[in-house]
Each structure stands twice: as structure tokens, then as C-alpha cells.
Amino acid sequence: METPSNESFRDSIGTMTKEGKRAWVYPKKPSGKLYEYRKITSYVLLAFLFAAPFIKVQGNQFLMFNVLERRFNIFGFPFWPQDFYLFVLSMIIGVVFITLFTVAFGRVFCGWVCPQTIFMEMVFRRIEYWIEGDRNKQRRLDNQEWNAEKIRKRGLKWFIFLVISFLIANIFLAYLIGSDKLLQYIGESPLNHLGTLVPLIIFTGVFYFVFAWFREQVCIIACPYGRLQSVLLDNKSIVVAYDHKRGEGESGRKKFRKNEDRQALGHGDCIDCLQCVHVCPTGIDIRNGTQLECVNCTACIDECDHIMESINLPKGLIRYASEDEIEKKQKFKLTARMKGYIAVLTILIGVFTGLLLLRNDVEATVLRLPGQLYERKGDNIISNIFTYKLVNKTVKEIDNVSFKLRKYNGEIKLVSASDNFKVPKQGIAEGTLFIEINQSELSGDKNKLIIEVYSDDELIETTSVNFLGPRSYN
């Protein structure tokens, strides 16, 4: 793969040839202190990703995103369709947080946390290194004819990639339909659940395609987050940066020669070894400056530090730094824009926390039956008919549920149910009820009633309805 020239790199993509064809990236196997930290971080996050669907908090799955049934669990808190505003608010908080983090620290999220990068660099790429070898061995294997060695290595790699893709698809399915249902399906015949099996096979194919072939193109072409860099980053953002002041000097970079006084000749510390280019998983030259293809994976930092150490020059030629730090030696500080994002984020978290604390485990809705007014009964009794719905968001069954009127002396009669009934765990109880009140209790044709919902003698929810009566002409 050719390295783009300083004049044309912004008009080209490092993974594309001059003829417009795909230039396959063969990154050198990274090593170094930051890479070790990334491995630890990645494996902790992978363990969390695989364990989260099977962790239960008070009977609720720790994380679940059941889009079809519109049920979501976030950190053990269940969100039903009635709580969708809370789910949307939590997503907005996540977007604002990532935006703030990008303004301050660039694409650190991409290099250290993004599932695409973690799976690609810490799982699939490491398997590739194990089977096919490092950069040069992979090149030779790719260019050689299909002999026994190539068939064996490629076949083994593709088979392992397919197995891992199938495993990832199952884990994502656990997030979508719930781990209990997934384990139930695994124990039964796949033919009994074709509606789940077909999407599972499709997503297995998608994951295999992404990690076996599409690879870094996800970050370069498909991911919108990389495009946001141009909007969010400024000269004060911390990014993986090449110190061009130190690296270029007055006379530019130059190959290393022993016993040569580079400083006297005006050359910078960059010895033009291209190791930072060879190790880059997206095929860019970081010395050209910040580019949308850069995912801040720090592989170039480790490689450059190793080279600097081997020729007795200070490390940090490529490092986490802002443009202002390189140009003006200014240290990182909060800007007005960052403070604005922090203020917005603080307000959103405060509102979300307040709404979460006010949210009930049981939600009651009582609505007038459409098209019905009121009915006059004996002894001057006025009756209205309503439908009710009780949503139980907990993992415990609610027993002995009953309705009572607040302030009004009246009677609530349930249709096709006893006065006390149950609401199943994480379920819904629906039905019809009559409210009967003596006309002397009413003040006009429209009266607001407060209905209290009890479980045994414990008040669990309240709701309000409008009760219609005869119009008063006094």
C-alpha cells in the first residue's frame, strides 16, 4: 500500500489505490505500554458485553433492548412503552456525553471503547496474527498461489471467524429478546423458532462480512461518528497527534544515521521509518495531521516511542496532545464550549434522575369507554363506564388489587372480575369497571375523580378520570 504524499493525502483514502480499487491494509502487529492497557480495557469490556444479558438485578436483565415489544432494561431499570420518554432522555444524555468527550479528547471512544474496534483489533486481528503471522507473512500468503498451506490457514481462519460471528450474533440476540428466551430457544428445535433463526443467520453473515472483509471501511466509510470530528474538534481537543515542530525541524525529516548530528543539520527527530504508517489499522500517515480515518488507537504512539527509545531520542514524538499544545505549548483546559456541554449534561442528568425517582413500579390508566355518557339508576345513582389498564413493571406478582375513590362516596364495580385481582409480573391487567355515585355528590356535568389503586392495604398508584353527570341549570 502506497503512502499518500503530503500534498494529496486529503484528497485520497489510504485504503484505495489510484485506480479506485481496495488497497488491503496489512497492519504490523502492535506492541507497547498503551497497547497493553488497551488489551486490558478491551477484555474487561468484552467480558461485560457477554455477561450483561445474563446478569439480573431484582429479576430484571441488566441490559436489554427489546425493540419489537418496546421494552428496555438499562442497568437493571425496566423501561416500558409508557416510560419511553425516559429511554429517549437517556439516549440524549449518552449523545451529549459522547459529544463532550469528543470535543475534549477526540476519538478516544473509537480507539478504546467502540465494539467495532475492540472486536476487530483485539479478537479477529489477533487470531489472524496467530494463524497467518505478522504483516509481511500475511502479504506473502495473500500473494502466493492456493496451495495446501494457504488453504489450511485461510480455511482455519475463516472457520474461526464464522464461529465467533455466530457467537456475537447470539449475544446481540440476548440483548434483543432477553437471555431467558434465548436459552429457552437453544434448548428447543431451531425449526420451532424460524422467525428468530433467520435473523440470527443474517446477522451472523453481517458480522462475518464486517470483520472478515469490510473491516476498517466501517470506520472510514460507514460510521457517522468519524464525520463528526470536523464539527466537534478544534485546536484545543486532545487527539493522537504528531509533534511536527519537533519531528520536522527546519530541514525536515531524515533517515537515521549513526554519529550524525541531526540538530546541527536542522533535521527533526522523525527518521522517516514509516513504522507509524505500517502499524496503523486504517492505513493513514499520522504525520499528515488529524484525519477522519484515525480512530485514536495509539498503535502509532507505541511504535514511535519504541523507535525513539532505540535511537536514544526522547519519546512522545507522537502522543496525546492538542494542536495548541504543539504550536503554543498550551496545556489542556476547559473551553467555553466544553463548559456549555457540561452544563447541558448536568441539567439532563438532573432531570433524568428526578423523573426516575418519581417513576412508579405500577402504572394505572383509567379511560372512559368511547361513545358512552352516563346512566341514571335507581335511588338517584349516576353510573359511568370506564376501561382500566394496570402495568406491572416489577418481577413480582401484585396480589389483591382493588380500586377506591378518594373524597367521593361512591362505588367501583369491576366487570367479569372480583373486587380483588392480580397483576402478573412484568405484565398487564386490563378490564372494565363502573363507577357509581349519588347525584347529590356531584357538582355539575363534569367531575374530576381521583382513583386510588391498592395492593392489600398499600397504596401503589393513583390516577384521575372525568365523571359525567346531569347538567345543572341552577
Side-chain angles (χ1 to χ4, degrees):
M1 183 181 64
E2 296 181 2
T3 303
S5 66
N6 288 335
E7 292 77 18
S8 64
F9 80 96
R10 295 198 187 278
D11 301 322
S12 62
I13 297 178
T15 56
M16 185 177 292
T17 64
K18 293 179 179 179
E19 294 77 24
K21 296 181 180 180
R22 169 86 175 269
W24 198 265
V25 178
Y26 300 91
K28 180 182 177 183
K29 185 177 181 180
S31 62
K33 181 176 68 175
L34 290 175
Y35 183 66
E36 293 302 317
Y37 289 156
R38 281 180 60 218
K39 282 201 296 187
I40 295 171
T41 303
S42 298
Y43 295 141
V44 168
L45 291 174
L46 283 173
F48 174 79
L49 177 71
F50 279 78
F54 303 96
I55 297 174
K56 299 293 180 67
V57 178
Q58 296 182 346
N60 294 312
Q61 188 168 310
F62 191 69
L63 287 175
M64 185 175 72
F65 306 94
N66 192 332
V67 179
L68 297 178
E69 297 179 8
R70 293 180 295 168
R71 288 176 52 192
F72 307 91
N73 290 348
I74 300 179
F75 305 136
F77 289 99
F79 294 88
W80 285 65
Q82 295 81 0
D83 301 317
F84 193 68
Y85 66 98
L86 288 173
F87 179 75
V88 171
L89 186 57
S90 67
M91 295 297 101
I92 294 173
I93 289 173
V95 170
V96 174
F97 176 78
I98 292 176
T99 301
L100 169 63
F101 205 76
T102 305
V103 170
F105 304 109
R107 288 182 75 175
V108 173
F109 172 85
C110 293
W112 291 75
V113 181
C114 177
Q116 162 67 21
T117 304
I118 290 176
F119 276 116
M120 186 68 252
E121 301 304 323
M122 297 300 173
V123 179
F124 290 89
R125 193 87 76 182
R126 286 175 63 81
I127 291 171
E128 198 166 56
Y129 289 136
W130 169 60
I131 295 175
E132 297 185 353
D134 207 343
R135 167 186 168 85
N136 292 330
K137 290 183 178 179
Q138 289 181 24
R139 278 179 175 273
R140 285 197 298 269
L141 185 69
D142 200 34
N143 292 328
Q144 75 183 41
E145 295 182 356
W146 282 93
N147 53 23
E149 178 193 14
K150 186 170 182 176
I151 293 173
R152 176 174 54 82
K153 288 184 176 180
R154 286 290 166 86
L156 177 61
K157 182 182 78 170
W158 291 339
F159 174 74
I160 294 175
F161 280 9
L162 186 62
V163 170
I164 296 177
S165 298
F166 180 72
L167 179 61
I168 296 172
N170 274 275
I171 293 299
F172 274 81
L173 187 62
Y175 280 98
L176 292 176
I177 67 172
S179 57
D180 292 339
K181 191 173 289 186
L182 174 67
L183 294 175
Q184 175 192 337
Y185 288 177
I186 290 174
E188 299 174 0
S189 171
L191 298 178
N192 295 337
H193 307 285
L194 290 177
T196 302
L197 179 63
V198 172
L200 179 64
I201 294 173
I202 292 173
F203 277 101
T204 298
V206 170
F207 287 126
Y208 180 79
F209 168 76
V210 167
F211 295 116
W213 189 83
F214 204 50
R215 301 189 158 204
E216 74 285 338
Q217 302 300 308
V218 173
C219 305
I220 297 174
I221 298 173
C223 180
Y225 184 50
R227 301 299 190 274
L228 287 175
Q229 280 193 109
S230 59
V231 178
L232 299 177
L233 298 185
D234 56 26
N235 290 342
K236 296 176 176 59
S237 302
I238 303 294
V239 294
V240 172
Y242 166 67
D243 190 341
H244 57 89
K245 291 279 189 181
R246 174 187 156 191
E248 303 298 312
E250 295 180 0
S251 304
R253 61 187 77 142
K254 185 178 184 294
K255 295 289 185 182
F256 177 75
R257 292 183 181 178
K258 281 189 176 181
N259 303 320
E260 183 179 62
D261 191 344
R262 299 175 63 87
Q263 190 172 5
L265 294 173
H267 293 294
D269 286 353
C270 179
I271 62 173
D272 206 21
C273 62
L274 296 180
Q275 293 305 302
C276 59
V277 180
H278 295 162
V279 81
C280 179
T282 58
I284 67 166
D285 188 342
I286 192 64
R287 297 172 299 175
N288 288 329
T290 302
Q291 297 151 67
L292 66 85
E293 298 99 319
C294 178
V295 295
N296 282 207
C297 69
T298 71
C300 56
I301 296 179
D302 280 331
E303 199 65 27
C304 186
D305 282 350
H306 174 71
I307 296 297
M308 292 295 104
E309 196 172 31
S310 65
I311 59 175
N312 296 319
L313 287 175
K315 294 189 290 187
L317 180 59
I318 302 175
R319 63 184 187 275
Y320 276 122
S322 66
E323 185 65 23
D324 281 356
E325 180 183 341
I326 292 173
E327 290 282 355
K328 307 173 185 177
K329 306 299 181 185
Q330 292 181 355
K331 295 297 182 182
F332 173 78
K333 62 180 180 180
L334 293 177
T335 64
R337 185 161 64 136
M338 294 178 197
K339 292 176 182 177
Y341 283 124
I342 291 173
V344 171
L345 187 62
T346 303
I347 293 171
L348 287 173
I349 292 175
V351 171
F352 179 76
T353 304
L355 292 174
L356 201 60
L357 292 174
L358 293 173
R359 169 182 173 270
N360 289 334
D361 290 334
V362 178
E363 184 165 320
T365 304
V366 179
L367 299 173
R368 174 175 302 284
L369 193 65
Q372 299 294 319
L373 294 176
Y374 66 89
E375 180 183 356
R376 189 186 294 272
K377 294 187 175 181
D379 297 327
N380 215 23
I381 297 297
I382 304 300
S383 175
N384 282 201
I385 184 170
F386 300 87
T387 60
Y388 68 85
K389 178 189 287 187
L390 295 180
V391 179
N392 180 7
K393 303 172 185 176
T394 70
V395 293
K396 295 181 180 179
E397 188 178 72
I398 300 177
D399 296 320
N400 299 322
V401 178
S402 61
F403 297 101
K404 295 180 182 179
L405 286 176
R406 180 184 294 179
K407 295 183 180 179
Y408 283 85
N409 291 321
E411 189 176 0
I412 298 178
K413 295 181 179 180
L414 301 181
V415 178
S416 301
S418 62
D419 291 339
N420 296 284
F421 59 95
K422 297 179 180 180
V423 184
K425 61 180 181 180
Q426 292 187 335
I428 297 174
E430 298 179 280
T432 307
L433 58 84
F434 289 95
I435 299 179
E436 298 179 351
I437 302 176
N438 193 291
Q439 186 175 347
S440 62
E441 294 273 336
L442 305 177
S443 57
D445 60 334
K446 185 177 290 186
N447 301 265
K448 186 174 182 180
L449 306 183
I450 303 298
I451 300 177
E452 299 176 334
V453 185
Y454 285 84
S455 174
D456 292 321
D457 294 325
E458 180 186 356
L459 179 65
I460 58 175
E461 175 66 316
T462 60
T463 186
S464 63
V465 296
N466 286 322
F467 187 89
L468 300 183
R471 180 170 298 177
S472 174
Y473 295 97
N474 296 334

